[in-house]
Amino acid sequence: MNDFLPPEAAVLRRLEEALLDFLGLYGYSLVATPVLEPTDLFLRKSGEEIATRMYTFTHWNRRLCLRPEGTASVIRAYVQHLQDRPLPLRLAYCGPAFRYEKPQRGRYRQFHEVGGELVGAAGPAADAEVLYVACGALERVGLRGYRLTVGHLGVALQLLSQLGIDERGQALIVGQLEPLARKQADPEAVVQRVALLLGAPEASGEEESANGALAELLARIGPEAAGRLATELLQHASLPLDGGVRSPTEIVQRLLAKAARPDPTPQVRAAIAFLEQLRGLAGPPERALGRLHALLRTYQLDPTPLQEIEEALRLFAHYGPQPGQVEVDLSLARGLRYYTGLVFEIYDDSPGGGLQLCGGGRYDDLVRALGGRRPVPACGFSIGLERTKLALERQGALPAPPAPVQVLVVPVEATDHNAAIAAAQRLRAAGVRVELDLRGRGPRAALRHAARAGIPLAVLVGERERQAGTVVLRCLATHAERALPADQLPAAVQAALAGAGEEDGHG
Ligand code: HAM
């Protein structure tokens, strides 16, 4: 977790404001939700990847966590307070999120997001808007040379259900796509791990054949006889069948179901192989789309997801400046489980870059899963503030921080302090950022301080000026000095700041 100091904290704030301003142009209005949420909110649909990295704790018997992301919180707030509003509803948000990760460059345990969620709009037109608002917001703050990768979970999910893999298995496999894509995991190890979680026989050799034989025997004698047999066996083994959460019958039924289940390893292996094939075909739309259509035909899969990507990208192109590189990758899975359709990520693509700056996608089941009265389609994105700042820095496009102080007001003697306060207040009322010299160090030392601190202008208030109702305005860069009536000070300072290239507070 980071302490942000001046001027970095101000730069981040500026970035956040500029991104939110841009979202405002598209009708996204700000919501603010607490950083603390019930842990369950993120366990329901966000997935293990996030769940294992949450800061959770128990407080007065309630399981709470620091939010690991904004979407589930925003949708919780929608379900609680906004279900009667006309749809679609465009919501923007910003603020910290917390993930217990191994810290490295661009990966922190507390980071800041700016995001937008478009609630109540289905289909490629809404996907295209969200794609563009994300890219356009990054363009607005000066990002160039970025890559947009677009995927769609529809294809992978179709194939998995065609293979007879249930919802839990689908979630498990999709959850492995990211480590596979990052080459952090060996595909065969993933196959073994997922198959095991889905009930594949654990041991090898003798035990495996014993398991096989058991499944065969159970199938042969039928469920009722198998139930009696298993109960008797367990009683002989004098295992404690009572006192637990489940009744003995339940235990036996679960055991039998597990033993009779066919080994899912071949299906899992086929699924992972297919997903690897999808990744192999990723590329710019003009190259990837044709090949992917052909692959879907081979597997007799519905091409709708691919058509949705095509349509969203076609509309996206009408919005404005396009990313340097667009890529279609149907193996793009993202770390969160709630996605149901088009998903995307934006990367800093400049030399030495590579950071993922933004992620988003469609999640049509989340409103319902979080207690919504009816299913409401939704999609959105979120931009990581620290990573965006790093990328802009590398591209030399980081906006200059505002000069923290524009004018130093210096009382020449202690007796000049009243008049100095009056001059400072006059300037502040005109919106000028003013530091009043409180240390009574005298004009020379005060001017040295101003030069060191990068304060462009100084106002000197002494006995002579007080008598004449004037002040002295001095430019630190040119050493030019002039006396002027105190009531003309704000206009003169603003003119001098504008002349020195200060526009809207930029240094
Ligand atoms: P996410 O990709 O997990 O998506 O996070 C969004 C962005 O937050 C990332 O693209 C990255 O820039 C930044 N980020 C994530 N983790 C860290 C970290 N440990 N340190 C620094 N920056 C980080 C979501 O959170 C979804 N809620 C996006 C979304 C909105 N999907 C639909 N609507």
Side-chain angles (χ1 to χ4, degrees), residues 4 74 91 125 142 152 250 307-308 353 370 377 396 450 454 472:
F4 294 111
V74 168
L91 301 171
H152 198 304
E250 269 176 325
Q307 288 159 355
E308 283 180 4
L370 297 184
V472 171

Side-chain angles (χ1 to χ4, degrees), residues 156-173:
L157 294 178
Q158 256 186 77
L159 184 97
L160 295 176
S161 63
Q162 199 181 71
L163 286 168
I165 296 171
D166 64 9
E167 223 171 275
R168 179 165 157 267
Q170 293 180 10
L172 277 172
I173 292 172

Side-chain angles (χ1 to χ4, degrees), residues 107-378:
R107 188 175 292 279
Y108 313 109
R109 291 178 172 173
Q110 174 176 340
F111 61 97
H112 295 77
E113 296 180 319
V114 170
E117 309 294 344
L118 170 47
V119 182
D127 292 334
E129 175 179 302
V130 161
L131 277 178
Y132 187 76
V133 175
C135 292
L138 288 168
E139 291 249 351
R140 170 58 59 92
V141 296
L143 187 79
R144 300 290 175 264
Y146 61 95
R147 170 165 51 94
L148 169 68
T149 301
V150 183
H152 198 304
L153 287 174
V155 173
L157 294 178
Q158 256 186 77
L159 184 97
L160 295 176
S161 63
Q162 199 181 71
L163 286 168
I165 296 171
D166 64 9
E167 223 171 275
R168 179 165 157 267
Q170 293 180 10
L172 277 172
I173 292 172
V174 169
Q176 292 303 317
L177 283 178
E178 228 196 345
L180 275 173
R182 281 197 253 120
K183 304 251 180 291
Q184 285 172 343
D186 162 43
E188 188 49 34
V190 169
V191 168
Q192 297 300 338
R193 198 167 53 241
V194 172
L196 203 64
L197 286 168
L198 292 180
E202 194 157 344
S204 55
E206 247 172 64
E207 253 184 82
E208 195 172 343
S209 56
N211 261 325
L214 180 61
E216 212 185 292
L217 173 71
L218 292 175
R220 222 168 341 121
I221 64 176
E224 254 177 59
R228 279 197 305 276
L229 176 65
T231 316
E232 236 168 86
L233 276 174
L234 285 172
Q235 273 159 359
H236 279 299
S238 51
L239 287 171
L241 280 182
D242 47 7
V245 189
R246 298 196 172 91
S247 72
T249 329
E250 269 176 325
I251 296 177
V252 167
Q253 274 164 357
R254 286 170 69 93
L255 274 174
L256 289 176
K258 192 162 181 225
R261 213 179 295 146
D263 181 359
T265 311
Q267 276 75 13
V268 175
R269 188 172 288 122
I272 299 283
F274 176 76
L275 296 169
E276 297 259 280
Q277 228 174 323
L278 286 182
R279 184 168 39 261
L281 295 183
E286 55 283 8
R287 207 174 62 212
L289 286 169
R291 294 186 194 170
L292 286 166
H293 271 298
L295 181 77
L296 297 197
R297 276 195 299 276
T298 313
Y299 281 82
Q300 297 184 328
L301 294 173
D302 175 10
T304 308
L306 210 49
Q307 288 159 355
E308 283 180 4
I309 292 184
E310 279 179 287
E311 180 60 4
L313 286 178
R314 192 186 66 75
L315 294 170
F316 173 72
H318 287 275
Y319 275 92
Q322 297 291 296
Q325 216 190 316
V326 180
E327 192 187 39
V328 174
D329 180 356
L330 290 184
S331 74
L332 178 67
R334 316 255 312 111
L336 293 146
R337 287 277 172 74
Y338 46 61
Y339 295 110
T340 54
L342 187 144
V343 286
F344 66 96
E345 286 178 347
I346 300 174
Y347 294 87
D348 171 15
D349 211 21
S350 55
L355 279 179
Q356 183 205 317
L357 306 177
C358 171
R362 171 163 293 285
Y363 50 92
D364 287 346
D365 297 337
L366 190 60
V367 169
R368 197 49 188 263
L370 297 184
R373 282 200 291 270
R374 57 205 150 93
V376 174

